[in-house]
Amino acid sequence: MASRLSAVFVSLVLAVTSVRAATYSLKDNFVGSSFLTGFTHEAIADPTHGRVNYVDQATALSKNLTYASGNTFIIRADDTTTLSASGPGRNSVRIRSVNTYTTHVAVFDIRHMPQGCSTWPAAWETNESDWPNGGEADIVEGVNDVSPNQGTLHTSAGCTMPSYGSQTGQVAGTDCNANDNGNAGCGVKVNKANSYGPGFNNAGGGYYAMERTNNFIKMWFWTRNGGGAPSDLTSGAASVNTDNWGTPWAWWPNTASCNLASHFNGNNIIINLTLCGDWAGAVFNSDGCSGDCATYVNNNPSAFANAYWNFAAVRVYE
């Protein structure tokens, strides 16, 4: 009976949220060199303890770790330097949007994401100065080339999600509290193997999108050449209507078990690439990579030739 009532409740939440307006207008359009003014390079110690040295924008540009031209924006890890075990980590890039966002749609048009053992790329949103109270939504994240991609929310205490809903992905966790379960969060895995790593890159990349409101957070994924991606999203139209985007792979509803408005405030977009660290390093061997993660990063610069992001665009609609 309890499970039946829960199902009815979720259905009612769906009915309420589905009738709300879902048309958004273009607010920020990051293409090529506009990433250099719309985002800041964060030359900070890696909060996830990776074997990286995040560099500032001037350094990134001079060392070709950041490249912007036309409709191409690339950020990458150094792939030429052998490191000293006692010195800093491999040079890499972490960027954060100047603007913050609450109710919005974020679209990531990605041609290539970092791949290789030890890599831990992420495209996500959070409020760094108020984490986890201000919330975190990971749109693209994974480690060591293990597919599929997983979207995850991380919050303060008091936020749990149903184990089912109007989504195509597989629930990986329902407790969003960052202080529980080693900060695993409430995650949902994409139902497509080519959503992450080499499979994503071999398919020509694709499109990720997130819609965040006080009623729900949804995430979608389409491969670039697989068909089905909505034309307003792929064309960078002046407005988008998410009602026409089909069933998301991930759906987190606002319920009595998680008041989204109280767990999320203004978030920045962050795009980064770390190596090893709390996640990729911990599962380095179990993911099929040999040896010690930090030693691998130190001694194998050529292994990072494909450890780069290539963005055609990031667009934000409000």
Side-chain angles (χ1 to χ4, degrees):
M1 176 62 72
S3 61
R4 191 182 310 168
L5 289 173
S6 296
V8 170
F9 174 72
V10 170
S11 297
L12 288 172
V13 172
L14 276 171
V16 170
T17 58
S18 65
V19 300
R20 297 184 182 273
T23 300
Y24 298 79
S25 298
L26 185 62
K27 167 72 182 307
D28 289 322
N29 186 27
F30 303 111
V31 178
S33 60
S34 64
F35 277 92
L36 300 178
T37 53
F39 285 77
T40 59
H41 283 60
E42 294 191 285
I44 61 174
D46 180 20
T48 62
H49 313 105
R51 185 69 179 128
V52 292
N53 176 49
Y54 286 133
V55 299
D56 61 25
Q57 184 176 109
T59 303
L61 289 169
S62 68
K63 294 183 176 297
N64 207 33
L65 303 180
T66 295
Y67 171 83
S69 179
N71 66 350
T72 297
F73 179 72
I74 293 173
I75 56 177
R76 64 175 308 123
D78 167 86
D79 65 343
T80 62
T81 308
T82 300
L83 306 179
S84 166
S86 60
R90 185 163 300 283
N91 282 348
S92 189
V93 174
R94 174 180 169 123
I95 60 173
R96 182 184 67 191
S97 67
V98 172
N99 290 334
T100 60
Y101 308 99
T102 53
T103 297
H104 70 289
V105 172
V107 174
F108 300 81
D109 184 345
I110 309 170
R111 298 189 182 103
H112 185 281
M113 69 173 64
Q115 67 179 70
C117 280
S118 79
T119 58
W120 179 359
W124 50 299
E125 296 187 1
T126 196
N127 180 341
E128 290 177 309
S129 65
D130 191 27
W131 186 92
N133 299 317
E136 174 184 336
D138 303 323
I139 300 109
V140 182
E141 186 178 30
V143 298
N144 301 321
D145 289 347
V146 175
S147 185
N149 179 63
Q150 178 174 310
T152 308
L153 304 187
H154 303 268
T155 69
S156 55
C159 180
T160 58
M161 289 292 163
S163 57
Y164 48 84
S166 182
Q167 59 192 19
T168 61
Q170 178 184 356
V171 173
T174 58
D175 185 353
C176 308
N177 185 358
N179 296 306
D180 293 343
N181 306 315
N183 189 25
C186 49
V188 182
K189 295 181 181 293
V190 183
N191 59 321
K192 297 177 181 178
N194 58 7
S195 60
Y196 183 79
F200 176 90
N201 296 332
N202 293 339
Y207 308 94
Y208 275 96
M210 178 182 75
E211 180 180 11
R212 176 188 153 191
T213 75
N214 286 339
N215 299 304
F216 57 77
I217 295 174
K218 297 179 180 179
M219 294 181 186
W220 292 264
F221 168 70
W222 301 269
T223 58
R224 183 172 307 281
N225 301 315
S231 60
D232 55 357
L233 176 143
T234 60
S235 67
S239 64
V240 295
N241 186 344
T242 57
D243 279 346
N244 299 326
W245 288 5
T247 304
W249 107 73
W251 172 80
W252 296 272
N254 180 68
T255 69
S257 298
C258 185
N259 183 302
L260 292 175
S262 69
H263 286 286
F264 283 84
N265 56 30
N267 280 194
N268 300 89
I269 298 171
I270 298 177
I271 303 167
N272 69 284
L273 168 60
T274 190
L275 306 171
C276 300
D278 297 338
W279 184 11
V283 295
F284 186 72
N285 296 138
S286 60
D287 281 347
C289 302
S290 301
D292 171 72
C293 191
T295 302
Y296 178 84
V297 171
N298 293 343
N299 297 339
N300 296 281
S302 63
F304 300 96
N306 286 312
Y308 67 91
W309 289 100
N310 181 342
F311 287 90
V314 171
R315 298 184 173 96
V316 180
Y317 296 81
E318 291 183 339

